[in-house]
Amino acid sequence: MLAARTIPSIKPNRSGRPHPLLVGAGISGAVKNAGNRKTHLSGVGVRAAISSGDRTVETPAPAATAPQIDGDGGGSLLTSSSGIHVRAVVKIRKKMRETLKDKIEDQWCSLINSIGQGISILLISAQIDPVTKSGKSVESYVRGWASEPSGHSRTVEYTANFTVPYDFGDPGAVLITNFHNKEFHLVEIVLHWFEGGPIFFPANTWIYSQDNNPESRIIFRNQAFLPSETPPGIKKLRHEDLLCIRGDGRGERKLHERIYDYAPYNDLGNPEKDGDLARPVLTGEERPYPRRCRTGRPPMKSDPEYESRVEKPHPVYVPRDEAFEEIKQRTFSAGRLKAVLHNLIPQIAATLSSSDIPFNCFTDIDKLYIGGFILKDEEPLEKAKNLFLDRLTKQVLSIGDRLLKYEVPAVIMRDRFAWLRDTEFARQALAGVNPVNIELLKEFHIISKLDPAFYGPPESAITREVIEEELHGMSVEEAIKNKRLFIIDYHDLILPFIEKINSLPGRKAYASRTVFFYSNSGILRPIAIELSLPPTSSSPGFKRVYTPGHDSTAHWLWKQAKAHVCAIDGGVHQLVNHWLRTHACMEPYIIATHRQLSTMHPIYKLLHPHMRYTLEINALARQSLINGGGVIEACFTPGKYAMEISSAAYKSTWRFDMEALPADLLRRGMAVIDPSSSIGVKLVIEDYPYAADGLLIWSAIREWVESYVNHFYSDSTAVNSDVELQEWWKEIKNKGHPDKRNEPWWPKLNTKEDLTGILTTMIWIASGQHAAINFGQYPFGGYVPNRPTLMRKLIPQENEPEYKKLLLNPQGSFLSALPTQLQATKVMAVQDTLSTHSADEEYLGQLHHLHSHWTNDQEVEEMFQKFSTRLEEIEGIINRRNMDPQLKNRSGAGIPPYELLLPTSGPGVTCRGIPNSISI
């Protein structure tokens, strides 16, 4: 019999030599292990009988055979003279679709497990031995199948039997070692026949092979402990586990590893491939940026400042548990295939013609949704096939139109002409895919903060006369006082980049300002657009104001001005509000959470659902979306200066304390402080769907977080004395956002209220905020004229030849400035993928069945259920709002309901649903 012993190093001892931590530890016996080597343990002490494969067992006491028992352990204890008989059920997840090789390997692994040579389990007590001052442990090997099959088709279960000494105490952790030559996905380990029912050790983690890493994996039971409350028997394991996750900051990371560390964005460029793909490193005072997960790839030979690139189809390292699960990977891969299919025909068409093809009429755009795309005749199709030798490509072409059609975007599904109206342009500033840049105009005149020595006079060209002409008798001062004027101002962010952008081929842009008026009838409408170009050596600069006008020429000029605003808005949305403020800023929070908070820390358990898949999707974005020459540069206004603009926005506007929804609304003047409100703010425009629904979600998250924090922290002293928590917050600032670590606006972490505010902000960013600005990308951007992502021409001026073309063919002039068919379809395919929910999506307030044992605290489970119930109520409130005829921004003829902040959704492009995490 193997006696209970002190906790060894997390490296399994299979060398045949006594482990240094076991020598003199009060243990006797000899164990023949899976490698048929004997480990001799000296001394005397308590004993625990183990049934584990072919190991010979010696003990001073007679062995007792564990009886065969069904049930989950809720009944009476099974005992013998040697101790309590315990059974561990090990749940392992299989692949969804197994190849023949997979099936053969699974059969082999099952055989190895059945003879007790595949997986070892070391059960660790939460109590320590009073003599050795170390935790007790008993060991067994997985052997045999569970007596009852798993209720899930993709889960297989194995068992291991223990006989635990009577004075063993409560199990606190298990050390699991994988002796197979490949990894496996451990769902959980369940201990049966302990007093009080089954004990759960939730894992949902990949267990690497000992061939790759000799260290055992530590899995803690589903009980949360603050650091100061950690049971003594597992205190060292808590520390060791964190050390393993942090790594040493050296070397290239391997795909099987789970090391979390920081690195700057120095992997976006690829000058070794093409000098034009060089991109600046985003770090330091000039180009500050949050940090990403370190991969440790070697530097480029030509320039050590750059990290070498990994191009598709090779994967970018993320810690093993951060990678997409199989369902998610299939959904994402299907999206990639869809992108290939949607872009294949336009690519062929471009190859067959002298240049990429513009949209010549609106019918060309309609064809994307109605009949497929171009090349209907057999002859050009045959020519196209000859251009591509790849068999898969030929098969794709033979499929026909079905796969090459786009779904009709929500923005034109009910009213195909809605995008033409000024009221729809304004409505989308409040209820579209980018509803977070509109601000209250608080003073007049509008003044730039840029240096006039470089960018010209700071005064806007939007004059009092221009505004008052649209106010029907109201003065500017009166409109400002009554909170009737609003603005979306991209002037100062974009103007420093305009000359560079306009030097790129096929791309023209302005810095823009758009002023809106909110009428007595509750309708927001644009009344003036200012488009600006900076001064150059050959030009004094350009500022021109466009207004709705009432004649046909003014109408078409106004339409082009709105399109230019949308193109800039699309870039800011994608690079600032979407990528920077959610994806990029969330990544350091995730890294710090893994590095500084133990998996048994209550705050880790709270945040864990909100970290799923984010590092993987961010790594994929660095590989093909935001990289030099990637989709964002190819299809959006900023081009190769995209990430420099994102860095500029981070430098000038990003503040953690302003990422809280109420704080952001107050900063933008879209809300005022209201002590009588439970949220503390009141909206200036009540019919502001993003804000109105968002505050409901924010409030629900805050109530849940507040109750959770109060449950685990008795007072502010407990917050201050939590060493893991304090290091976590310190690391987020100093390592995750080091370029802004000295800013005075970082919240303190001294009280329960501080912690509640910080956590609420993080969860809101990962869930509600990301959902609001991500899942509407295709529903709003899938119709190119509604939200062009770039413009290829400036607006014609009276003294230019293009102006005559505008007068003769205004529709042609407008369409010729939009993205080409290839550019448009490429970005549409990407937007379609990014707007798609996968079948395994985990939504806010819902608990995935694999995570059902995340806690054993009944009070916490009741709090979470209350949170879930509140979100169900909110869904009903939002549905009723969408049917209220008084709320014109979410109901009315042809108006799609605002559902981006409805908590739940089915799979696909639904324009609704709040996932727990930034998962796409």
Side-chain angles (χ1 to χ4, degrees), residues 652-668:
S652 62
T653 64
W654 186 85
R655 296 174 45 157
F656 181 89
D657 61 331
M658 292 291 108
E659 294 304 291
L661 178 58
D664 174 60
L665 294 170
L666 290 170
R667 177 185 61 82
R668 291 190 282 123

Side-chain angles (χ1 to χ4, degrees), residues 391-678:
R391 186 176 63 179
L392 175 62
T393 302
K394 292 183 179 180
Q395 290 174 345
V396 165
L397 285 170
S398 68
I399 290 174
D401 293 340
R402 181 174 58 85
L403 288 174
L404 298 173
K405 286 170 58 177
Y406 286 86
E407 296 297 325
V408 178
V411 71
I412 61 167
M413 184 177 293
R414 297 187 179 203
D415 182 355
R416 63 179 299 191
F417 301 110
W419 68 277
L420 288 166
R421 295 194 296 270
D422 288 349
T423 51
E424 177 61 18
F425 176 83
R427 189 189 74 84
Q428 290 182 32
L430 299 171
V433 70
N434 190 36
V436 297
N437 283 112
I438 188 168
E439 303 178 61
L440 182 71
L441 185 60
K442 299 175 182 177
E443 57 184 12
F444 196 81
H445 294 278
I446 304 167
I447 304 294
S448 169
K449 296 179 181 178
L450 296 176
D451 187 347
F454 292 97
Y455 300 106
E459 295 82 13
S460 168
I462 300 176
T463 63
R464 178 187 306 274
E465 291 73 24
V466 167
I467 294 178
E468 290 183 346
E469 187 174 345
E470 300 294 328
L471 299 187
H472 306 297
M474 185 182 295
S475 68
V476 169
E477 287 76 15
E478 185 180 359
I480 290 176
K481 179 181 178 181
N482 293 330
K483 295 182 170 56
R484 294 292 188 86
L485 290 178
F486 298 84
I487 188 171
I488 296 179
D489 192 345
Y490 296 137
H491 179 276
D492 286 8
L493 174 64
I494 300 299
L495 193 65
F497 295 92
I498 287 295
E499 188 176 359
K500 295 178 181 179
I501 292 172
N502 288 345
S503 68
L504 299 174
R507 202 161 308 209
K508 298 298 179 183
Y510 303 93
S512 69
R513 290 187 177 107
T514 308
V515 175
F516 301 85
F517 177 67
Y518 189 63
S519 69
N520 290 331
S521 59
I523 298 297
L524 188 71
R525 59 184 178 89
I527 60 174
I529 293 173
E530 179 190 57
L531 301 178
S532 301
L533 300 174
T536 65
S537 56
S538 59
S539 170
F542 172 93
K543 289 182 181 180
R544 180 155 183 177
V545 176
Y546 296 87
T547 57
H550 302 287
D551 62 87
S552 61
T553 303
H555 171 80
W556 279 102
L557 290 172
W558 173 247
K559 191 182 302 299
Q560 290 203 31
K562 289 194 296 181
H564 273 280
V565 170
C566 287
I568 292 297
D569 186 78
V572 173
H573 162 257
Q574 200 66 260
L575 295 164
V576 180
N577 300 325
H578 182 206
W579 172 257
L580 169 65
R581 293 178 60 189
T582 64
H583 285 261
C585 285
M586 195 69 199
E587 186 154 347
Y589 311 152
I590 295 170
I591 297 171
T593 299
H594 283 286
R595 285 169 52 88
Q596 296 298 338
L597 300 181
S598 166
T599 56
M600 63 176 124
H601 196 292
I603 302 307
Y604 177 94
K605 290 181 176 292
L606 175 70
L607 290 177
H608 184 257
H610 307 290
M611 304 187 292
R612 186 180 188 228
Y613 293 155
T614 303
L615 297 192
E616 171 81 345
I617 195 66
N618 285 6
L620 291 169
R622 297 200 312 274
Q623 190 175 43
S624 58
L625 287 180
I626 64 171
N627 60 302
V631 173
I632 300 300
E633 289 192 359
C635 300
F636 285 79
T637 294
K640 64 188 293 185
Y641 306 103
M643 291 304 289
E644 290 185 61
I645 290 177
S646 190
S647 172
Y650 178 71
K651 180 178 183 178
S652 62
T653 64
W654 186 85
R655 296 174 45 157
F656 181 89
D657 61 331
M658 292 291 108
E659 294 304 291
L661 178 58
D664 174 60
L665 294 170
L666 290 170
R667 177 185 61 82
R668 291 190 282 123
M670 300 304 293
V672 294
I673 295 175
D674 182 8
S676 65
S677 168
S678 60

Side-chain angles (χ1 to χ4, degrees), residues 12-14 33-35 112 116-121 139 141 177-182 184 208-211 214 216:
N13 181 20
R14 301 185 69 181
N33 61 25
I112 297 300
Q117 295 193 17
I119 302 171
S120 75
I121 300 176
E139 185 178 25
Y141 275 70
T177 308
N178 174 15
F179 295 113
H180 296 291
N181 61 7
K182 70 172 189 176
F184 63 84
Y208 42 68
S209 167
Q210 194 193 32
D211 294 345
S216 302

Side-chain angles (χ1 to χ4, degrees), residues 2 12 122 159 220 226 238 250 258 265 286 315 331 356 386 391 499 778 846 903:
L2 176 63
L122 192 65
T159 62
F220 296 105
L226 296 175
R238 181 173 187 147
R250 295 180 295 180
R258 49 193 293 273
Y265 280 74
E286 183 179 358
T331 302
D356 197 3
N386 293 331
R391 186 176 63 179
E499 188 176 359
Y778 183 79
Q846 295 183 350

Side-chain angles (χ1 to χ4, degrees), residues 714-779:
S714 57
D715 52 30
S716 295
T717 301
V719 173
N720 272 303
S721 61
D722 186 336
V723 291
E724 288 183 5
L725 187 70
Q726 294 298 329
E727 286 301 312
W728 168 77
W729 186 234
K730 186 184 302 182
E731 182 165 296
I732 284 173
K733 293 182 289 185
N734 294 333
K735 292 187 177 181
H737 290 267
D739 302 324
K740 292 209 166 202
R741 62 184 178 273
N742 296 321
E743 295 288 355
W745 41 253
W746 283 102
K748 306 296 183 184
L749 183 49
N750 297 326
T751 68
K752 294 192 295 181
E753 291 74 23
D754 295 338
L755 179 57
T756 296
I758 290 168
L759 295 172
T760 302
T761 297
M762 289 181 179
I763 294 173
W764 161 253
I765 291 168
S767 57
Q769 179 73 354
H770 180 259
I773 59 179
N774 179 72
F775 292 103
Q777 289 193 72
Y778 183 79

Side-chain angles (χ1 to χ4, degrees), residues 28-242:
S28 66
V31 176
K32 183 181 178 184
N33 61 25
N36 293 322
R37 294 184 293 269
K38 288 188 177 182
T39 301
H40 296 281
L41 309 175
S42 61
V44 294
V46 294
R47 280 111 177 129
I50 304 293
S51 171
S52 53
D54 63 346
R55 294 182 294 172
T56 59
V57 178
E58 301 172 6
T59 177
T65 303
Q68 297 298 316
I69 294 183
D70 295 325
D72 65 359
S76 58
L77 299 180
L78 300 174
T79 63
S80 69
S81 59
S82 56
I84 305 168
H85 300 296
V86 177
R87 169 167 289 188
V89 176
V90 179
K91 299 184 179 182
I92 295 174
R93 191 170 66 202
K94 297 171 59 178
K95 286 185 176 180
M96 291 177 61
R97 291 186 175 179
E98 293 185 301
T99 63
L100 178 60
K101 179 182 177 182
D102 291 328
K103 292 178 180 179
I104 293 173
E105 288 181 344
D106 284 348
Q107 290 297 319
W108 175 251
C109 290
S110 295
L111 175 63
I112 297 300
N113 287 339
S114 69
I115 62 175
Q117 295 193 17
I119 302 171
S120 75
I121 300 176
L122 192 65
L123 179 61
I124 310 295
S125 172
Q127 283 74 41
I128 61 172
D129 187 290
V131 177
T132 64
K133 306 299 182 184
S134 298
K136 306 166 188 175
S137 65
V138 292
E139 185 178 25
S140 180
Y141 275 70
V142 163
R143 180 172 181 170
W145 302 90
S147 58
E148 297 181 1
S150 167
H152 302 289
S153 60
R154 292 178 56 212
T155 303
V156 295
E157 297 181 352
Y158 297 97
T159 62
N161 294 324
F162 300 82
T163 299
V164 178
Y166 292 110
D167 62 350
F168 184 77
D170 294 328
V174 294
L175 270 61
I176 186 164
T177 308
N178 174 15
F179 295 113
H180 296 291
N181 61 7
K182 70 172 189 176
E183 65 181 1
F184 63 84
H185 192 276
L186 178 65
V187 177
E188 67 180 352
I189 298 174
V190 186
L191 291 182
H192 294 283
W193 309 336
F194 263 96
E195 185 175 9
I199 297 175
F200 295 94
F201 294 79
N204 293 301
T205 184
W206 288 96
I207 306 297
Y208 42 68
S209 167
Q210 194 193 32
D211 294 345
N212 289 326
N213 189 337
E215 296 182 337
S216 302
R217 280 293 308 278
I218 304 169
I219 309 295
F220 296 105
R221 71 179 291 181
N222 62 340
Q223 188 166 353
F225 294 105
L226 296 175
S228 61
E229 299 169 347
T230 310
I234 56 175
K235 186 170 290 186
K236 289 181 181 178
L237 287 181
R238 181 173 187 147
H239 179 64
E240 284 189 32
D241 193 39
L242 286 173

